[in-house]
Amino acid sequence: MKKIVVKFGGSNLKTREDIQKIVSTVKLYNRPLVIVVSAFYGITNYLTDGIRTVRRDDAYITEMIGYLKNMKRETIEDNIDDPDQKEEAYRLIRERLDQVERNLLGVHYIGDIPNFIEDRILSYGERLSSLLLALILKSKGIDAQEMLPEDMGLVTDGEFSNGTINFSKSTAPVAKALAEDKIYVVPGFYGISEEGKVTLLGRGGSDYSAAGIARCVDAESLDIWKDVDGYMTADPKMVPSAERVDSLSYTEAAELSYFGAKILHPRTVEPLEQLQIPVRIFNIDGPKDKLTPLSSIGPDSINTGDTAPKSVTYSDDFSILKVNGPGVGIKPGILAKLTETLDRYQVNIKSVVTSQTSINFYLESADLERAVKSIQNVKEQAIIKAQGISDMSIVSLVGTGIVHEPEAAHRMLKALAQEDIHTQIVSLGASDVAAYVVVKQEDKEKAVKAVHKEFFES
Ligand code: ASP
Ligand code: MG
């Protein structure tokens, strides 16, 4: 029987009652599974900030360990009844927290945070979840076992903080390690380099871990549990009339994530396409008696013929680096020089739009300041000014039909114009399934509503 890989994220690990919901969901499946878990909600940020404080202040180590211990104590007390199992859980959690403590002491004594230590410490958010969940499932009579990425051989390319899974190295050992008919609980968010060092898979990377493992075991499906109703035609907090999107193609899901929908990490579908493993999205707070997914994601081909746009999404996490000068657009080599410089400063370019007098790079907002500075170092007469613009939002319409039906883009722009929304940049055709505009942040909500009304509220 093929495995199902089931992922529970930070949004399923927020409140004291959440573990019970996870346990009853696992029981619902009533079959062997590979479960991938994230850290408890907020813990990765807590560790990230904590490491920086600890570097200066060793007293903070005690505070951090105390905080984590207390949180885990609550979880043990709430969920494990048998005194012997409880004692064993305390002992194992203590052991794991000792490892965190030793790493934090290391940071304090060397007064520095080398990237391999930072990755290792941050991975403990997930390791605490996986250990606890495995122990709790066992205490409920379920045949569960924790399995760590280093023990099963989930190998990455070794890039710290943002690794990529190496499937030619990982597939066979991971499939072998997860072969038995039981419930494995794996911490998401990291793998190990060929030298055996922890490498994180990028923020929000547990989805990608789960997808990678699903590929290694050639899973029947990757089931992602959320605390919201899957993909919607728009963010329901902004557009109350938004409706659920039942099915999407891999490309549509990837673009929606890229452009701001927070359902999946944009890299999730990457490992799944080749083996055509479907993704099924569930709401842990929704009806789940028959395990009917709210949204399903599958091969692009199953969606051909379905050309209606799927969703309008937005993101504020885009900024523009505008490089001006007469002729920057036409002069050969300038774009190459600029992208090379940005790459050297580790600025990830999301998109580029050029004209004769201006080159616009879209970047993540966190990179903007560094990007502007880096360009100021470029010696190039044609460049007069490099300027960062950060109060922008990107609003995107996603769906396979967008490239096939030119009418869609026209309707999108008309809907925006009717609301007097000034669109700064329009892009169509960069992706096969997305059209997007850049608007002032203050116009974003109006823009999303206008586009939604045009396409989804007939
Ligand atoms: N805990 C990690 C993060 O917050 C990974 C994840 O949640 O997917 O980025
Ligand atoms: Mg997450």
Side-chain angles (χ1 to χ4, degrees), residues 7 38-39 44 126 189 202-207:
K7 189 247 169 182
S38 297
T44 309
E126 271 59 20
F189 193 33
R203 285 309 304 268
S206 304
D207 286 348

Side-chain angles (χ1 to χ4, degrees), residues 44-65 103-113 118 121-122:
T44 309
N45 288 340
Y46 178 77
L47 291 170
T48 309
D49 297 342
I51 299 172
R52 281 156 184 80
T53 309
V54 157
R55 181 180 169 177
R56 293 174 271 108
D57 174 10
D58 61 342
Y60 197 65
I61 299 179
T62 319
E63 188 172 329
M64 276 179 84
I65 298 297
N103 281 290
L104 289 173
L105 270 171
V107 165
H108 181 72
Y109 283 118
I110 57 178
D112 195 8
I113 313 171
E118 173 152 29
I121 293 175
L122 293 190

